[in-house]
Amino acid sequence: MERTKNSEERGSTFSPEERKSDTMLEEKDPAETPLLGYTLSANSERDSSKSDLLSISPNNIDYGLSENCQITTLEYNKMKMWAFYIIFGILTVGIMPILSIWIVDLKVFMMYTKINGNVEEATHLKIYEKSKGSGIVELKKSTKRSTLPHSDGRILDRVGDEEYIKEIKFRYRYLTYNYCYESEKFETVAYDFHYNYNKIHSRSCGLTKDQLWESQDKYGDCTMNIIIRPWYRIVFEDILNFYYGIQVFSVVIWCMNGYYRSGVVIGAMTFASIVAELYDEIRSLKRLKEMAHYETSIYVKRIGSDGVSISTEINSNEIVPGDIILVPEGKQIPCDAILLEGECVVNEAMLTGESLPAIKTALPKSDEHTVDDFSIENTKQKMYFLFAGTEIVQSRMMNYQTPPYALVTRTNFLTTKGALIRSILYSAVKRFDFQSEACYVLFVSFFLTAAIMGTVLPKFIDNFSTYDVVIRTMNALTVAIPAMLPVCMSIGILFSYTRLYLNEIYCSQPRKIEAAGRVKTMIFDKTGTLTHEGLTATGIKVSNQKDFNPTIRNISQEIATFQSNLNIDKYDSEEIFTKFIECMACCHCCTYINEKLVGDPLEVEMFEKSNWVMDESEEQNNHKGGRYLATFYPRNESNVITDDPELNREILKLNILLKNEFQSELQSMSVIAKNNIDGSLVCFMKGSPEKIFSRCDQSTLPSNYMTEVDKIAEKGLRVISLAYRTIDPLFFNIEHPPNRKELEKNMTFLGFIIFENKLKENTAECIRELNDGEIKCIIATGDNGKTASSVARNCGIVSEDSYFRILLDESDKNAKKLTCELVKENNSSNRNRGFVVLDEEENHLGDTDEEAEENQPFIPNDPQERNANGDPFDLMMDPNSLLSVSINGKAFNHLLKMPREEMINDKYNAQEILDKVVKDCKVFSRMSPKQKAKLVKKMQGNGQIVGMCGDGANDCTALKTADIGLSLSQAEASIAAPFTSKSQDISSVIILLNQGRAALDLSTTLFKFVILTSSIQLSSMIILYYSTSNLDDLQYGYIGLCLVFPILLCICLMKPSDRLVSELPIQSFLHWSIILSIIGQSLISIGVQIGGYFAMRGEDYFTVAPESDDYTTDGYETTAVFLTSTPQYLFIGIVFNLFTKFRMPLYKNYVFMLILLVQVGITYWIIIRPAKFMRDDLELMELDSEFRWFLCLITICNGAACVLMELIIYLLYQYFK
């Protein structure tokens, strides 16, 4: 206990140096290496006994360890380390330790002993995650002083009120996990903020000195410092793999065979590839490090020794969870926090890609509500949250004595920004990986070569020493496994990445480029993606409670005229129109930044049409009880604010006391406004027509309410409903406002505002091109179903006027059921005929559920006609039906939760309907962000490769869940999605898919080309082995540098096709067409080389090379095989690029054509009449002209056979696909 007592003053046994070493643990921990999942695996973990496994406690935010993560307890074994790791390392010349870097189980075998889940005895843990691989971490055990009561098994001693406890923790991928003795789980060291609102407000004074020490020890510094490992660790842990090992082995074998030039060439290319990957990796890490790291000065409130809370300026690194920070205007927030006082305008583009600022308001005081999930996807509460990495554009005091302040909840890598940074550093194992398939082909090639070499060995044994036999055999085996393959694949990805960058599409995960080539389904958000971000208010329809007044088109002019008392007689109810205008003016979250009005485009347009003024100045909004959120008054010449308070008192002003922010789940927002003249309070509300319908007094609703909504929505227009109610000031307390649900009920309906959200100029053209490319396009939006269907039809996602719509009938709360209707748009006669089986709206819209949906089916007037049309579910499930399907978010969510075998009707169960929806539904309306992510996962689960395109604002989860996510954002540094496009239209989707398909086709082409070059080279080598000959070092160098490498570069330079073709590239190296092509082309090349070899031996002047202890490299056989094989490298470079649809035609690749012409010219110059320096340098024998023309003829026939073979395979593929 001596060490503990010496540390009592700071509350921890860790010295500053120890704490620093603890936070830097990842620098020496192999499990901390970025991109770990690409190099480590632990397949044997499935056989581990349960007693070896511990569990991880799940958390709301993704902390990197999934619930099914397996942890094996290990004890470091020094004896095994010496016996296996050191001795085996020496015996294998370092190979075994290198392999242990990539194979975790091998390292466990050599250095550790598994123990039966005993954390107390364990020194290390092996962590296995199915999607991210394995790693080994060191357990750090310590004792510390704590003033908090503990009843679990970790108490060591008590001295007075203090307890000395033992701690077991480890640091993994920049996060710390503590062992909980009660739950027997490792839990994330995170601040607990899951309390009701009032309890959170009770922490507004800040931390005491003891609490600060405890938090500093527990959570560490508020900084995200990505450690860039030394270059040699990056090379060994991230870059080197099985293929690079083959390359190094090949270089050694070639040099031992005397092929120094070829060995140097392969070694140089390998080195260049490693350097390029290393440079790219370090550059990416440095960029990510700059993005992650942020420091600034900031004021915090902490309780001093006298018990008084004081503000102190500190470095942001010193912030800890539980601190109260004063919100810094014009700076980034360095931590996650809950806003307790004031209002902020925040730029969240770095996290979401959303270009519009978000408005944050203070957490209300309430005992009824609790902070749930602190995440950017929590649309119900995120208006109270400040996220690390977001910029505070503007902050305002809601009380003139109290500046805006917030409670810190998370710091460093526990923040939302930290989670996104870590998701890039430690991305999951790819769903698509060619490496395993390439291994199959290479191993087959290896064993075939070994079998063929078995026939050559007797001749070798008779002519060479044992050493030479082994070296020559190994030489052939290294040729069979092409060392160039990883280099080529890396170059291909690099070229694709560069082309995307030039098109202003930024990629944070280059490995996903090939995944884009597999996409057959694209999901689009609507607003800001397919349509313009801004909306135009095209009209208003004011209610008279029985019907609607005529639609007003010139909104601003009509309002100005009304406010001048010139057209009051036009309206049946002056009060309704007055409240309508007031609701337009103040029911929104717009604000001014640098004298520019910013906010949601719909709200900006609505306010500007109201002809009112918003004043956010302190002079207008400060009052004795605090500060109004804003003040509004009409824009009228008579309403001029003056310095005379008495005159100002006569001007109508609405002071905003409370705002209930818009929530996608609730589909509404509301404000409470105070009239300065009579002191009355009014609650104004706006939202979706369905939501307002459910909240209004039914007597105030026109009888044709939903009919008008349908008429407007069918034209693709957007409808917003307005309502109000008066509030008794005696029963309203701003400190304890009423429940939102209670506040927003018994409203009086005011009318509609009609908005037009125009398609972007090239949306329809892009959708048409995607349709031509047989990409299934889907729209998933939070908007009204009929509006979404109209937009889908206008842009070409849906081509038919009729479609099936699936709804959720909630008329019986205890027996919700799905219904289906057949809807036909743009034909008023259909309303009279009826195509729908259930009036969902009459049953549902009277409901007061906070998630009320839009559903307005049409009931057939004649039951017989309804039966004649048939059950819509039966019609929808008809395999011959060409009509699309539409579904809303509630129905989709209900369908996901239903038991799979539960019957929807007499014929079909839930699983069958769900499969139909996933397959054929093209319009998903009223979808929340989480429901969009569920849709993506469900489609992936059905085997679809899914792309998602959105503006990033509410689509972050879906963008990250999709196989490829493309965010349309001006922020190049946005990490909202793997791909970010500066282009604000969906043309970037076509570019990305085209580049992805070209990259996928390039990979298969490179694979075939590299395998065939090795096959040709191996054929030459084995044929010449039978005469104890081989090609010369310079001949191999000529083939590699002058023929193969230029073709490889030219293949990579081939641009994608200028259009999106209607099929996908081959997606597997093991596809029958690729295997058949490799075998067929190999047989042709072998046959031609054998023909040239025996033709040479049949010439009269042919002489056998004299016997030697080494290869013969200047004989007639060598010359014949060399001259017949060199054109083959050119032929395969041509034929593998002749029939591609996904890249530009060969004849349009002018650089490629020029290089091929030069190569063909030089090659046939060497064959027909080589210059003397060519013969001397390449060690070619003198041949007569007749034989040279014979070689010329058979090589041309070789080329024709290659083209014919590839054409036959292409036609077969087109036929059978």
Side-chain angles (χ1 to χ4, degrees):
M1 302 306 297
E2 182 178 352
R3 184 180 177 185
T4 303
K5 293 178 180 178
N6 292 335
S7 307
E8 282 181 3
E9 292 187 1
R10 54 186 173 84
S12 170
T13 60
F14 295 125
S15 66
E17 292 77 11
E18 288 175 287
R19 195 184 313 150
K20 183 177 179 181
S21 66
D22 181 46
T23 59
M24 301 285 282
L25 183 61
E26 64 272 12
E27 185 176 12
K28 57 185 179 181
D29 190 344
E32 288 290 340
T33 58
L35 303 178
L36 184 68
Y38 293 115
T39 56
L40 301 180
S41 62
N43 296 327
S44 63
E45 190 63 41
R46 299 173 184 174
D47 299 327
S48 300
S49 62
K50 291 184 179 180
S51 60
D52 291 338
L53 303 179
L54 300 170
S55 57
I56 286 289
S57 177
N59 291 277
N60 288 327
I61 196 169
D62 178 16
Y63 290 126
L65 291 177
S66 56
E67 288 186 57
N68 58 356
C69 168
Q70 294 180 337
I71 295 184
T72 306
T73 50
L74 306 172
E75 183 179 18
Y76 176 69
N77 191 319
K78 197 170 184 180
M79 185 71 69
K80 287 181 69 176
M81 192 273 290
W82 277 101
F84 294 104
Y85 198 77
I86 303 297
I87 297 175
F88 277 20
I90 295 173
L91 295 177
T92 59
V93 198
I95 294 177
M96 194 68 76
I98 292 175
L99 288 176
S100 70
I101 295 175
W102 307 328
I103 307 173
V104 175
D105 285 339
L106 180 61
K107 186 170 185 177
V108 170
F109 171 75
M110 293 194 301
M111 297 181 64
Y112 303 97
T113 301
K114 290 185 180 181
I115 57 179
N116 295 327
N118 191 334
V119 181
E120 297 283 350
E121 297 179 5
T123 60
H124 292 76
L125 300 176
K126 175 192 166 185
I127 300 175
Y128 168 67
E129 293 180 273
K130 186 176 181 180
S131 62
K132 298 183 180 180
S134 299
I136 298 175
V137 295
E138 180 183 358
L139 282 177
K140 195 171 183 68
K141 302 175 182 179
S142 60
T143 59
K144 58 177 289 187
R145 177 180 70 89
S146 175
T147 56
L148 301 175
H150 296 275
S151 59
D152 53 30
R154 55 177 173 155
I155 301 174
L156 292 179
D157 194 10
R158 282 191 175 91
V159 178
D161 294 333
E162 296 177 347
E163 294 177 350
Y164 293 94
I165 61 173
K166 53 186 175 182
E167 253 187 1
I168 301 177
K169 61 182 178 180
F170 67 88
R171 191 149 173 93
Y172 181 68
R173 295 177 176 175
Y174 293 106
L175 294 183
T176 302
Y177 296 85
N178 267 5
Y179 184 70
C180 176
Y181 284 84
E182 291 180 339
S183 63
E184 296 185 346
K185 294 181 179 180
F186 279 99
E187 299 179 339
T188 314
V189 179
Y191 183 73
D192 188 7
F193 51 82
H194 298 95
Y195 300 108
N196 66 51
Y197 292 176
N198 281 343
K199 189 164 185 179
I200 292 175
H201 274 283
S202 69
R203 302 186 179 190
S204 60
C205 294
L207 299 174
T208 64
K209 191 175 182 181
D210 286 340
Q211 290 172 334
L212 177 62
W213 282 338
E214 191 97 19
S215 294
Q216 286 174 337
D217 176 63
K218 188 174 183 179
Y219 304 111
D221 294 337
C222 178
T223 183
M224 285 184 281
N225 183 29
I226 295 177
I227 297 171
I228 300 178
R229 293 156 294 145
W231 65 267
Y232 56 85
R233 284 190 59 190
I234 296 177
V235 169
F236 277 102
E237 294 170 357
D238 292 347
I239 297 177
L240 292 185
N241 53 36
F242 170 74
Y243 295 104
Y244 283 112
I246 293 174
Q247 284 179 301
V248 173
F249 184 67
S250 299
V251 170
V252 173
I253 295 297
W254 280 62
C255 290
M256 293 175 70
N257 272 277
Y259 294 109
Y260 300 108
R261 293 189 186 93
S262 300
V264 169
V265 169
I266 295 176
M269 292 176 65
T270 303
F271 180 77
S273 174
I274 292 174
V275 169
E277 287 197 54
L278 178 64
Y279 171 76
D280 185 59
E281 179 80 3
I282 293 178
R283 183 185 62 176
S284 299
L285 287 173
K286 284 183 176 179
R287 185 183 174 205
L288 203 59
K289 181 184 178 77
E290 292 173 2
M291 192 186 300
H293 185 71
Y294 179 75
E295 285 186 40
T296 186
S297 58
I298 195 167
Y299 281 90
V300 298
K301 287 170 61 178
R302 288 173 178 169
I303 300 175
S305 55
D306 56 356
V308 178
S309 180
I310 57 174
S311 296
T312 309
E313 185 178 18
I314 63 171
N315 187 286
S316 60
N317 287 350
E318 301 173 39
I319 295 173
V320 295
D323 265 331
I324 299 296
I325 60 170
L326 274 63
V327 180
E329 185 171 308
K331 295 181 179 181
Q332 283 189 25
I333 283 286
C335 55
D336 284 353
I338 300 176
L339 189 62
L340 301 183
E341 183 68 38
E343 184 178 85
C344 300
V345 181
V346 183
N347 179 5
E348 295 181 340
M350 193 269 186
L351 297 183
T352 67
E354 172 61 65
S355 56
L356 294 172
I359 298 175
K360 305 291 184 176
T361 57
L363 185 78
K365 295 179 179 180
S366 169
D367 286 322
E368 299 179 5
H369 296 90
T370 302
V371 173
D372 300 322
D373 178 16
F374 192 107
S375 74
I376 211 156
E377 286 84 22
N378 182 0
T379 55
K380 289 184 178 180
Q381 297 175 324
K382 73 175 183 179
M383 73 284 295
Y384 313 131
F385 302 158
L386 302 176
F387 300 104
T390 59
E391 182 182 359
I392 305 298
V393 180
Q394 193 176 83
S395 63
R396 304 192 191 99
M397 295 184 292
M398 292 297 102
N399 184 317
Y400 57 88
Q401 295 179 339
T402 308
Y405 60 82
L407 171 69
V408 177
T409 56
R410 293 194 181 110
T411 56
N412 51 61
F413 285 96
L414 289 169
T415 61
T416 305
K417 176 184 175 182
L420 290 173
I421 293 291
R422 293 175 65 256
S423 72
I424 297 175
L425 276 173
Y426 308 107
S427 56
V429 175
K430 305 180 293 297
R431 291 181 69 196
F432 320 104
D433 194 357
F434 283 142
Q435 278 196 10
S436 58
E437 296 182 345
C439 285
Y440 285 121
V441 177
L442 296 181
F443 278 125
V444 170
S445 175
F446 178 86
F447 287 115
L448 284 176
T449 304
I452 295 172
M453 283 301 299
T455 64
V456 184
L457 284 178
K459 195 170 184 66
F460 268 26
I461 293 172
D462 293 339
N463 292 276
F464 302 116
S465 65
T466 303
Y467 171 81
D468 290 334
V469 170
V470 172
I471 293 299
R472 281 154 178 72
T473 303
M474 296 302 295
N475 191 20
L477 294 176
T478 56
V479 173
I481 303 178
M484 288 285 293
L485 190 60
V487 179
C488 296
M489 294 300 178
S490 299
I491 292 174
I493 292 293
L494 178 61
F495 274 87
S496 300
Y497 176 87
T498 303
R499 280 193 286 264
L500 284 175
Y501 185 83
L502 294 175
N503 282 284
E504 295 189 320
I505 298 176
Y506 307 105
C507 176
S508 61
Q509 299 177 38
R511 298 287 180 181
K512 283 204 169 188
I513 296 175
E514 288 179 347
R518 293 175 163 91
V519 170
K520 287 290 284 184
T521 302
M522 278 300 305
I523 302 175
F524 294 95
D525 182 33
K526 183 180 78 69
T527 306
T529 304
L530 298 175
T531 63
H532 286 285
E533 187 73 43
L535 296 97
T536 303
T538 60
I540 59 176
K541 293 181 76 69
V542 182
S543 169
N544 60 21
Q545 298 191 359
K546 295 180 181 179
D547 201 343
F548 288 93
N549 290 310
T551 302
I552 298 172
R553 299 296 180 188
N554 195 336
I555 303 172
S556 297
Q557 181 178 341
E558 186 73 14
I559 290 176
T561 306
F562 178 82
Q563 290 174 343
S564 301
N565 299 323
L566 298 179
N567 60 352
I568 293 178
D569 296 338
K570 288 177 59 178
Y571 300 95
D572 296 334
S573 174
E574 177 186 348
E575 182 184 5
I576 291 294
F577 196 25
T578 300
K579 296 301 182 186
F580 188 99
I581 297 170
E582 291 176 357
C583 186
M584 287 180 63
C586 67
C587 190
H588 56 79
C589 292
C590 298
T591 187
Y592 282 102
I593 299 177
N594 299 325
E595 300 183 356
K596 181 181 178 181
L597 186 67
V598 297
D600 184 274
L602 180 147
E603 295 182 334
V604 170
E605 175 73 1
M606 180 183 73
F607 171 69
E608 290 180 341
K609 294 290 186 182
S610 70
N611 202 36
W612 276 50
V613 176
M614 177 171 63
D615 193 336
E616 298 177 300
S617 64
E618 292 186 8
E619 294 79 7
Q620 281 296 317
N621 293 288
N622 287 342
H623 61 96
K624 293 181 180 180
R627 188 179 190 276
Y628 299 125
L629 299 178
T631 296
F632 296 88
Y633 55 87
R635 190 187 302 277
N636 194 305
E637 291 183 2
S638 62
N639 288 352
V640 179
I641 302 298
T642 68
D643 295 333
D644 188 349
E646 296 298 325
L647 293 177
N648 289 342
R649 204 172 280 127
E650 299 301 321
I651 299 173
L652 169 64
K653 291 186 288 187
L654 295 178
N655 307 122
I656 305 302
L657 304 179
L658 179 69
K659 285 183 183 179
N660 290 313
E661 302 278 346
F662 175 81
Q663 296 178 17
S664 58
E665 288 85 358
L666 301 183
Q667 303 172 27
S668 64
M669 78 157 290
S670 61
V671 299
I672 296 179
K674 177 182 178 182
N675 187 309
N676 70 307
I677 294 178
D678 57 16
S680 62
L681 297 183
V682 180
C683 174
F684 291 108
M685 181 180 180
K686 78 173 194 307
S688 69
E690 303 78 37
K691 183 65 176 181
I692 300 301
F693 191 107
S694 68
R695 294 303 183 201
C696 283
D697 183 343
Q698 298 297 302
S699 65
T700 69
L701 293 167
S703 59
N704 60 341
Y705 182 96
M706 290 309 302
T707 303
E708 290 297 322
V709 172
D710 282 343
K711 287 180 179 179
I712 297 168
E714 285 172 3
K715 298 176 183 178
L717 301 175
R718 187 169 180 180
V719 186
I720 294 296
S721 292
L722 307 183
Y724 86 102
R725 64 171 287 199
T726 57
I727 300 174
D728 189 344
L730 297 178
F731 294 97
F732 180 80
N733 184 350
I734 189 62
E735 295 295 328
H736 301 284
N739 178 280
R740 180 170 178 174
K741 188 174 180 179
E742 292 296 317
L743 188 67
E744 298 174 355
K745 70 178 184 179
N746 298 324
M747 309 292 288
T748 298
F749 176 64
L750 293 172
F752 297 145
I753 307 178
I754 305 168
F755 294 92
E756 183 178 15
N757 191 201
K758 294 182 179 179
L759 287 175
K760 293 180 179 179
E761 288 72 16
N762 63 348
T763 294
E765 180 184 348
C766 292
I767 294 295
R768 183 169 57 254
E769 187 169 348
L770 289 169
N771 288 335
D772 291 342
E774 294 188 2
I775 300 294
K776 177 185 174 183
C777 296
I778 293 172
I779 181 171
T781 177
D783 215 334
N784 177 284
K786 291 205 169 185
T787 302
S789 295
S790 177
V791 170
R793 191 169 58 254
N794 291 338
C795 70
I797 289 178
V798 175
S799 58
E800 306 85 6
D801 289 339
S802 300
Y803 60 90
F804 294 102
R805 186 165 66 166
I806 300 176
L807 306 167
L808 182 64
D809 177 16
E810 295 184 288
S811 56
D812 184 352
K813 286 292 183 180
N814 298 320
K816 298 179 182 179
K817 64 179 181 178
L818 292 175
T819 63
C820 181
E821 62 184 36
L822 178 61
V823 180
K824 188 167 185 178
E825 305 283 11
N826 292 336
N827 191 338
S828 58
S829 64
N830 289 334
R831 182 174 300 278
N832 297 325
R833 290 175 56 199
F835 283 88
V836 182
V837 298
L838 174 69
D839 189 347
E840 163 90 6
E841 288 299 344
E842 287 189 3
N843 291 312
H844 173 69
L845 287 174
D847 174 49
T848 58
D849 191 307
E850 290 189 346
E851 294 182 349
E853 273 295 348
E854 103 291 356
N855 302 309
Q856 176 58 17
F858 309 114
I859 302 180
N861 297 325
D862 185 358
Q864 292 183 353
E865 183 182 358
R866 183 190 310 177
N867 295 332
N869 288 329
D871 187 342
F873 276 118
D874 293 341
L875 298 175
M876 182 184 75
M877 297 298 289
D878 184 351
N880 297 319
S881 173
L882 299 178
L883 300 184
S884 63
V885 181
S886 170
I887 192 171
N888 61 32
K890 290 194 77 175
F892 178 70
N893 208 43
H894 181 74
L895 190 56
L896 288 176
K897 294 178 179 179
M898 289 181 68
R900 300 301 89 191
E901 301 302 323
E902 183 175 337
M903 300 303 292
I904 301 295
N905 67 358
D906 294 338
K907 294 183 180 179
Y908 304 105
N909 60 32
Q911 183 63 55
E912 292 171 317
I913 299 297
L914 181 59
D915 290 342
K916 176 68 175 178
V917 167
V918 171
K919 179 184 176 184
D920 292 335
C921 187
K922 291 189 174 182
V923 177
F924 292 81
S925 61
R926 296 299 189 205
M927 295 286 281
S928 69
K930 290 183 179 179
Q931 287 170 343
K932 290 181 183 180
K934 288 180 181 179
L935 171 62
V936 172
K937 288 183 179 179
K938 188 61 187 175
M939 288 184 166
Q940 290 173 333
N942 281 24
Q944 298 185 45
I945 310 301
V946 184
M948 174 74 195
C949 179
D951 58 8
N954 293 316
D955 306 318
C956 288
T957 306
L959 287 168
K960 287 188 170 295
T961 304
D963 295 298
I964 63 143
L966 175 63
S967 173
L968 305 182
S969 171
Q970 292 289 342
E972 178 182 343
S974 172
I975 52 178
F979 298 93
T980 306
S981 172
K982 277 198 170 184
S983 173
Q984 295 300 289
D985 56 64
I986 62 172
S987 60
S988 53
V989 172
I990 298 175
I991 295 173
L992 177 57
L993 297 187
N994 233 348
Q995 293 284 357
R997 293 184 178 190
L1000 194 58
D1001 184 61
L1002 176 62
S1003 294
T1004 56
T1005 301
L1006 288 174
F1007 177 75
K1008 289 198 296 183
F1009 181 76
V1010 172
I1011 294 294
L1012 256 295
T1013 55
S1014 294
S1015 175
I1016 295 170
Q1017 196 171 355
L1018 182 62
S1019 302
S1020 302
M1021 182 179 292
I1022 292 179
I1023 290 170
L1024 291 174
Y1025 272 3
Y1026 279 97
S1027 60
T1028 64
S1029 304
N1030 203 350
L1031 297 179
D1032 180 65
D1033 188 15
L1034 195 59
Q1035 290 173 336
Y1036 279 123
Y1038 168 78
I1039 291 171
L1041 280 180
C1042 299
L1043 298 181
V1044 175
F1045 189 66
I1047 293 176
L1048 280 172
L1049 287 180
C1050 289
I1051 292 174
C1052 293
L1053 285 169
M1054 291 180 71
K1055 296 180 180 179
S1057 170
D1058 56 1
R1059 67 182 184 88
L1060 201 61
V1061 296
S1062 59
E1063 62 185 80
L1064 292 178
I1066 295 172
Q1067 302 178 42
S1068 170
F1069 287 165
L1070 300 180
H1071 193 272
W1072 65 265
S1073 62
I1074 291 182
I1075 301 300
L1076 187 59
S1077 176
I1078 291 173
I1079 294 173
Q1081 298 292 353
S1082 297
L1083 292 176
I1084 291 172
S1085 65
I1086 292 171
V1088 172
Q1089 288 186 45
I1090 291 174
Y1093 175 82
F1094 283 106
M1096 183 74 260
R1097 293 180 70 94
E1099 290 295 310
D1100 296 337
Y1101 54 87
F1102 172 78
T1103 57
V1104 178
E1107 291 188 5
S1108 171
D1109 292 336
D1110 203 349
Y1111 290 126
T1112 301
T1113 58
D1114 56 355
Y1116 283 103
E1117 298 101 326
T1118 304
T1119 301
V1121 171
F1122 175 76
L1123 294 179
T1124 54
S1125 66
T1126 47
Q1128 293 175 340
Y1129 298 100
L1130 307 181
F1131 295 149
I1132 61 172
I1134 294 171
V1135 298
F1136 287 159
N1137 294 281
L1138 273 182
F1139 303 107
T1140 177
K1141 296 180 178 180
F1142 309 101
R1143 290 173 290 134
M1144 294 290 285
L1146 185 61
Y1147 63 84
K1148 288 188 177 181
N1149 192 334
Y1150 304 118
V1151 175
F1152 198 174
M1153 291 298 293
L1154 178 62
I1155 289 177
L1156 279 175
L1157 288 174
V1158 172
Q1159 289 179 323
V1160 169
I1162 294 175
T1163 298
Y1164 278 94
W1165 181 14
I1166 294 174
I1167 293 175
I1168 298 171
R1169 185 170 292 180
K1172 185 177 184 303
F1173 75 90
M1174 293 178 177
R1175 292 199 306 269
D1176 294 342
D1177 291 343
L1178 295 174
E1179 297 190 18
L1180 301 177
M1181 301 296 291
E1182 188 70 43
L1183 306 177
D1184 62 22
S1185 59
E1186 184 179 348
F1187 185 75
R1188 289 184 180 277
W1189 282 109
F1190 169 76
L1191 292 180
C1192 181
L1193 178 62
I1194 65 170
T1195 55
I1196 291 174
C1197 292
N1198 183 171
C1202 289
V1203 173
L1204 182 62
M1205 171 64 72
E1206 207 63 22
L1207 177 61
I1208 292 172
I1209 294 173
Y1210 174 76
L1211 294 175
L1212 287 173
Y1213 173 71
Q1214 294 297 319
Y1215 179 78
F1216 287 112
K1217 72 177 182 180

